[in-house]
């Protein structure tokens, strides 16, 4: 049976979906991280291979054989030509893998410019958008460890705001909320900043003798960005408990996520109209999907986000993801497959 | 001849001063980094040993023999009991070193509480203060890669503000200026932020194709904090050239350094007076010494700092360092030595 593979490869997990032409999921496999810049090409290869294998084994319980027509990989941090080459090499090696009991049809279709277009490598935000909304038009506002607003309009034009990583950007992310919380605690301790319950919150939660031990915690214990980002929940809880400083931090994060979203809307959904009316946007007809841990905060950041968006654009619907990003990768692969079938049929 | 050693051990270099009882420098040695958390204990030991050796060899050109009475080490990032133990072990091993043609007298004087007090281990900001001002009262405002305001009053009470490192603090540092510059460029590029010449400045200076390549530069080339901090000069130059965003960044850094300094003054130089009058401060009689690359900026940040400080406290003199931090370590060692001599003579 003809099928496509949708793969979501990230810093924590890798998910593979086997999808048929009717958008049905035939199999799903999940493994560990596959961001090759961090873990190396071999380890990334093995994660992707195992995710495919798990998905394919599941699919082969009900299907006799699988012929992979298109593969779409949505990968974090893959946007340079060199990265694309590395991933293409991985896909080529996958086709020689003896572990995978499938037929690959990827080499058959070569475009006039000598580029195969049945291997799609794209931004991880795009597959989150397509999986979340179930179409390739709209905006995803992802606020987890990192943060990005990524949109794609009806003309296929995309716009990204944020997503520059923990040093250069990611405003509105859990990492930035956590760091802002720690800084506020430190500045209160120094005597530079407003008094805040965050001093006690961090001291107690991390079992520190004094807040000075944050230095030990952050710099010396090899804490990663994800580990630090996890402390955003402490700031969120302090905000719910009425701490003014914590509430300011959450408000700032909300403001950044709103600004990023409006920037995407202005850039690609109503680019020719200086002051778009709600009507214009309504005509554009798109949804915004929110993903990531920040939206789950108890301080109602998501509800407030929706309110601010709808104050300006009442017709935009803000939704939770309908499907996971790997499903979005599957849909993108399928779109490509169906276009090919149409174009073959026409010849 | 009785002498003391003053050592300044940091992340870039290690300096040792051999000083006699008349505060004269008999010898000076300089080697590489000695922050053991980064480079390991053995490498730190070797740096300190070689710095001492170089200083001693110079001293022995004019002096027949040297008996080290007190050693003072000012070390970055050494403030936990565990760190102190590591450094004491290093000093003990130094005393057994065959490379060093000196007599050590450090083990003779044991205090009643069984602590030797002829090995002084202190914060690197304190030796910068004492070296810079030539007394152990005043404030040092260090703004290089990192940033800290550190003061010590006439009663020996010290207060530190900032100096929490590049993730948690260091407001007003070159690192923060550089990162703020990069973020401003990115946000202008994203469409989120004000237009700024910093986009072109970074693109041209780093020979990037687009500002997006900053990601490659910052995350993938293993750029260290010092490497990033070096780009503060680009923001400084853009500010001189009239860029509004760059000027805001420099103004913010200035504001943070002023705030840190005022916090130190309020905490230890006039703690009992809610609204200190200039007269009170004058009576306190202390100087502020500025150290670090940020003060060398062409956008007059140092002149403006002095102006703001003197608007509130006209009697405080802001000076450039009179001597280097290793000299300050020597002075602290000497003070200890002279107190011992007095106490011996009294018995």
């Amino acid at each position: 049976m003809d099928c496509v593979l949708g793969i979501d490869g990230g810093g924590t997990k890798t998910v593979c979906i086997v999808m048929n032409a009717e958008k049905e999921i035939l199999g799903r496999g999940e493994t560990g991280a596959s961001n090759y810049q961090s873990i190396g090409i071999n380890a990334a290869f093995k994660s992707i291979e195992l995710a495919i294998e798990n998905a394919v084994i599941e699919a082969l319980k009900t299907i006799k054989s699988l012929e992979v027509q298109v593969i779409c990989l949505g990968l974090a941090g893959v946007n340079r030509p060199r990265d694309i080459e590395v991933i293409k090499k991985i896909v080529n090696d996958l086709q020689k893998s003896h572990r995978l009991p499938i037929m690959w049809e990827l080499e058959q279709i070569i475009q006039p410019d000598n580029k195969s277009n049945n291997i799609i490598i794209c931004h991880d935000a795009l597959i989150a958008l397509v999986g979340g909304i179930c179409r390739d038009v709209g905006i995803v506002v992802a606020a987890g460890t990192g943060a990005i607003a990524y949109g794609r309009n009806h003309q296929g034009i995309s716009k990204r705001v944020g997503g520059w990583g923990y040093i250069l950007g990611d405003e509105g992310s859990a990492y930035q909320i956590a760091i802002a919380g720690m800084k506020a605690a430190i500045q209160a301790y120094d005597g530079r900043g407003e008094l805040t319950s965050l001093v006690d919150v961090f001291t107690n939660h991390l079992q520190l003798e004094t807040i000075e031990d944050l230095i030990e915690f952050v710099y010396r214990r090899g804490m990663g960005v994800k580990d630090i980002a996890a402390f955003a929940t402490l700031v969120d809880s302090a905000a719910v408990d009425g701490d003014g400083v914590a509430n300011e931090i959450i408000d700032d994060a909300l403001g950044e996520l709103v600004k990023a979203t409006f920037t995407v809307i202005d850039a690609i959904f109503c680019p020719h109209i200086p002051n778009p009316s709600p009507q214009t946007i309504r005509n554009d007809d798109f949804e915004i999907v929110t993903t990531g841990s920040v939206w789950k905060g108890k301080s109602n950041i998501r509800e407030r986000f929706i309110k601010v968006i709808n104050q300006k654009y009442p017709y935009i619907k803000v939704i939770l993801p309908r499907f996971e990003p790997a499903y979005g990768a599957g849909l993108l692969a399928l779109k490509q497959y169906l276009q090919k079938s149409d174009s073959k049929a026409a010849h």
Side-chain angles (χ1 to χ4, degrees), chain A:
Chain A
M1 180 189 278
D2 280 6
C3 72
V4 298
L5 298 183
I7 292 172
D8 168 25
T12 310
K13 64 175 184 178
T14 302
V15 177
C16 174
I17 290 286
V18 182
M19 188 182 274
N20 67 12
E22 283 73 43
K23 298 186 189 175
E24 287 166 347
I25 298 172
L26 305 177
R28 181 182 184 280
E30 184 171 332
T31 53
S34 58
N35 54 333
Y36 86 89
Q37 294 102 336
S38 306
I39 63 171
I41 293 174
N42 288 342
F45 176 86
K46 279 184 185 146
S47 285
I48 296 172
E49 184 186 46
L50 189 59
I52 296 177
E53 188 181 8
N54 291 344
V56 164
I57 286 171
E58 190 181 319
L60 289 176
K61 286 179 186 163
T62 49
I63 307 293
K64 205 172 144 200
S65 74
L66 292 170
E67 282 123 48
V68 178
Q69 300 295 326
V70 182
I71 181 171
C72 173
L73 304 99
L75 300 164
V78 170
N79 47 11
R80 300 169 306 162
R82 198 193 320 158
D83 295 324
I84 305 286
E85 284 313 307
V86 168
I87 301 303
K88 286 211 167 146
K89 171 94 173 53
I90 286 179
V91 175
N92 285 333
D93 289 347
L94 282 171
Q95 296 179 60
K96 297 172 203 152
S97 165
H98 298 297
R99 294 179 67 96
L100 300 176
I102 43 178
M103 304 281 290
W104 295 90
E105 303 290 331
L106 302 186
E107 291 309 308
Q108 292 179 351
I109 310 161
I110 302 289
Q111 294 290 95
D113 60 357
N114 210 23
K115 277 186 191 163
S116 158
N117 64 353
N118 42 19
I119 302 171
I120 306 170
I121 297 162
C122 61
H123 201 291
D124 58 338
L126 178 60
I127 64 168
L129 167 65
V130 176
I133 301 186
C134 285
R135 65 191 277 215
D136 58 2
V137 170
I139 299 175
V140 58
V141 187
T145 302
I148 189 170
Y150 182 93
R152 194 169 180 282
N153 68 10
H154 299 79
Q155 293 78 45
I157 298 166
S158 63
K159 170 71 182 168
R160 150 199 164 171
V161 173
W164 293 84
Y166 69 107
I167 300 175
L168 296 174
D170 284 345
E171 288 80 7
S173 68
Y175 178 82
Q176 292 227 340
I177 292 171
I179 289 291
M182 291 183 188
K183 284 189 174 181
I186 282 167
Q187 293 181 9
Y189 174 84
D190 264 356
R192 270 180 297 173
E194 260 183 77
L195 291 181
T196 165
S197 68
L198 290 168
V199 178
D200 288 342
V201 165
F202 279 107
T203 307
N204 295 339
H205 186 85
L206 304 179
Q207 297 183 297
L208 310 175
E209 276 186 37
T210 79
I211 201 78
E212 293 210 20
D213 296 336
L214 268 182
I215 289 182
E216 164 82 8
F217 221 86
V218 169
Y219 296 102
R220 293 185 188 147
R221 295 204 190 161
M223 284 236 289
V225 173
K226 271 177 210 291
D227 304 316
I228 292 176
F231 297 127
T233 54
L234 298 180
V235 181
D236 179 55
S237 297
V240 172
D241 293 342
D243 185 85
V245 173
N247 270 300
E248 264 176 46
I249 293 170
I250 300 292
D251 288 351
D252 285 349
L254 171 62
E256 291 290 349
L257 295 168
V258 167
K259 197 207 280 182
T261 307
F262 282 162
T263 306
V264 172
I265 294 174
D266 291 348
I268 59 168
F269 285 99
C270 37
H272 306 301
I273 306 144
N275 292 306
S277 69
Q279 196 58 33
T280 320
I281 294 297
R282 188 184 191 181
N283 291 342
D284 254 335
D285 178 30
F286 68 93
E287 292 172 316
I288 295 174
V289 61
T290 60
T291 70
S293 59
V294 169
W295 300 115
K296 294 172 188 151
K298 287 173 275 171
S299 51
N300 292 330
I301 188 168
R302 188 166 184 276
E303 289 72 9
R304 290 191 282 156
F305 175 81
I306 295 172
K307 205 172 159 189
V308 179
I309 297 294
N310 283 342
Q311 267 167 2
K312 191 164 177 189
Y313 305 112
Y315 304 102
I316 298 178
K317 203 170 155 197
V318 181
I319 62 165
L320 289 169
R322 298 199 172 96
F323 290 94
E324 66 180 335
Y327 187 83
L331 289 183
L332 286 167
L334 193 60
K335 188 176 180 182
Q336 185 74 12
Y337 169 65
L338 296 175
Q339 278 174 0
K340 277 179 205 306
S341 305
D342 288 353
S343 115
K344 265 194 201 165
H347 276 89

